């Protein structure tokens, strides 16, 4: 049975539309026996998610899609606004506690537009975590899109050395850059002996919710549904 490892609930504010009760009900309905929660930069929903999943007989996987500041979490200049996405999953109690530390320090020390972590924190809190390279907004996919293949491999090497359980994350969504990124991730996987994991960037429960989620993103980006690039 496929397990969703990249899931945004209602706690990914102005982005995710999965109400936890509906998410768990749907997972139970289609026979899933495990499910992750990976909200953007926060862990507000993990207790409700954990309790609901356990009550439904589904194994809860606690995680977070964190924002990584490439120039360090303490750098809060305008040019350092960009932050890459990275998917973290707790493998055990140590991983859960390290995830709490990372998210807490991201808010208290690294907040600049978003709660941000950095490599310094990853050196301190890397135990007990399963790490996936992220969606198209991840550092490696972003470098691939910009044709910076050597730098993408450097990041992959650093990640493999830093995290005991590290995977290159491939997705298939109707986005032009996705296939280019996937092809290069497969090459990096073979070249550097880093395993692949397939995820789906889940933001809503049912297909009929897509238009509502589109409206939610328009509110977030101050755009309109008629603007296809918004």
């Amino acid at each position: 049975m496929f397990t969703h490892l990249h899931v945004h609930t209602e706690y990914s504010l102005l982005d995710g539309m999965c109400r936890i009760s509906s998410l768990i009900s749907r997972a139970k309905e289609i026979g899933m026996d495990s499910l992750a929660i990976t909200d953007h930069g926060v862990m507000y929903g993990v207790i409700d998610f954990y309790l609901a999943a356990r009550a439904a007989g589904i194994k809860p996987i606690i995680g977070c899609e964190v924002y990584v500041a490439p120039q360090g979490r303490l750098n809060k200049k305008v040019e350092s606004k960009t932050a890459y996405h990275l998917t973290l999953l707790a493998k055990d109690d140590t991983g859960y506690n390290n995830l709490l530390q990372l998210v807490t320090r991201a808010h208290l020390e690294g907040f600049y537009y978003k709660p941000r972590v950095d490599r310094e924190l990853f050196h301190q809190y890397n135990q007990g975590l399963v790490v996936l390279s992220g969606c198209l907004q991840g550092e490696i996919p972003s470098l691939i899109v910009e044709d910076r293949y050597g730098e993408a491999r450097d990041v992959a090497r650093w990640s493999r050395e830093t995290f005991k359980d590290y995977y290159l994350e491939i997705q298939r969504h109707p986005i032009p850059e996705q296939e280019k990124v996937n092809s290069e991730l497969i090459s990096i996987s073979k070249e550097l002996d880093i395993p692949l994991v397939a995820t789906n960037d889940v933001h809503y429960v049912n297909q009929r919710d897509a238009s509502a989620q589109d409206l939610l993103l328009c509110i977030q980006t101050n755009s309109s549904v008629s603007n296809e690039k918004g």
Side-chain angles (χ1 to χ4, degrees):
M1 171 59 68
F2 180 80
T3 297
H4 279 296
L5 298 177
H6 192 134
V7 183
H8 296 283
T9 75
E10 59 201 294
Y11 291 96
S12 288
L13 300 182
L14 294 181
D15 188 66
M17 276 201 60
C18 298
R19 291 192 179 278
I20 288 174
S21 57
S22 300
L23 180 68
I24 297 300
S25 294
R26 179 58 176 159
K28 183 71 172 178
E29 178 185 339
I30 60 178
M32 300 188 76
D33 57 12
S34 55
L35 186 68
I37 179 174
T38 58
D39 283 315
H40 281 301
V42 301
M43 295 178 66
Y44 306 139
V46 300
I47 300 300
D48 288 345
F49 175 83
Y50 177 87
L51 294 174
R54 289 293 298 271
I58 293 173
K59 178 182 178 180
I61 302 171
I62 305 302
C64 182
E65 186 175 15
V66 297
Y67 298 101
V68 183
Q71 299 176 27
R73 72 189 186 282
L74 303 180
N75 187 330
K76 299 179 181 180
K77 298 179 181 179
V78 174
E79 60 270 20
S80 67
K81 180 180 176 181
T82 298
Y84 296 116
H85 296 194
L86 191 68
T87 313
L88 308 181
L89 303 169
K91 185 170 65 174
D92 50 28
D93 286 344
T94 298
Y96 178 69
N97 287 321
N98 281 333
L99 197 56
L100 291 176
Q101 289 289 340
L102 287 166
V103 172
T104 298
R105 294 187 66 172
H107 281 81
L108 296 180
E109 302 171 3
F111 200 99
Y112 184 63
Y113 291 90
K114 301 178 186 299
R116 307 171 308 154
V117 295
D118 59 12
R119 289 189 176 187
E120 180 186 3
L121 291 181
F122 285 140
H123 279 302
Q124 297 180 54
Y125 304 110
N126 58 42
Q127 298 298 309
L129 295 174
V130 175
V131 181
L132 319 181
S133 60
C135 60
L136 283 178
Q137 282 71 51
E139 187 170 9
I140 294 175
S142 296
L143 291 169
I144 292 171
V145 169
E146 297 172 3
D147 297 327
R148 297 160 63 184
Y149 302 115
E151 293 172 70
R153 281 162 171 75
D154 289 341
V155 175
R157 290 188 187 93
W158 179 88
S159 301
R160 181 189 60 188
E161 294 168 0
T162 303
F163 304 110
K164 182 178 179 180
D165 295 291
Y166 179 71
Y167 297 81
L168 294 170
E169 184 175 358
I170 59 174
Q171 301 177 340
R172 176 152 285 164
H173 299 292
I175 303 172
E177 298 86 359
Q178 191 78 66
E179 293 307 314
K180 172 183 178 178
V181 168
N182 284 348
S183 177
E184 191 62 25
L185 287 174
I186 292 170
S187 295
I188 295 174
S189 170
K190 294 176 180 177
E191 181 181 329
L192 301 182
D193 194 27
I194 300 174
L196 295 167
V197 63
T199 70
N200 191 309
D201 202 348
V202 178
H203 285 76
Y204 50 88
V205 176
N206 299 298
Q207 186 175 1
R208 63 178 178 270
D209 301 328
S211 58
Q213 203 261 340
D214 191 28
L215 287 171
L216 192 68
L217 288 179
C218 288
I219 296 171
Q220 179 201 139
T221 58
N222 194 27
S223 185
S224 66
V225 292
S226 60
N227 180 4
E228 294 184 0
K229 295 184 179 179

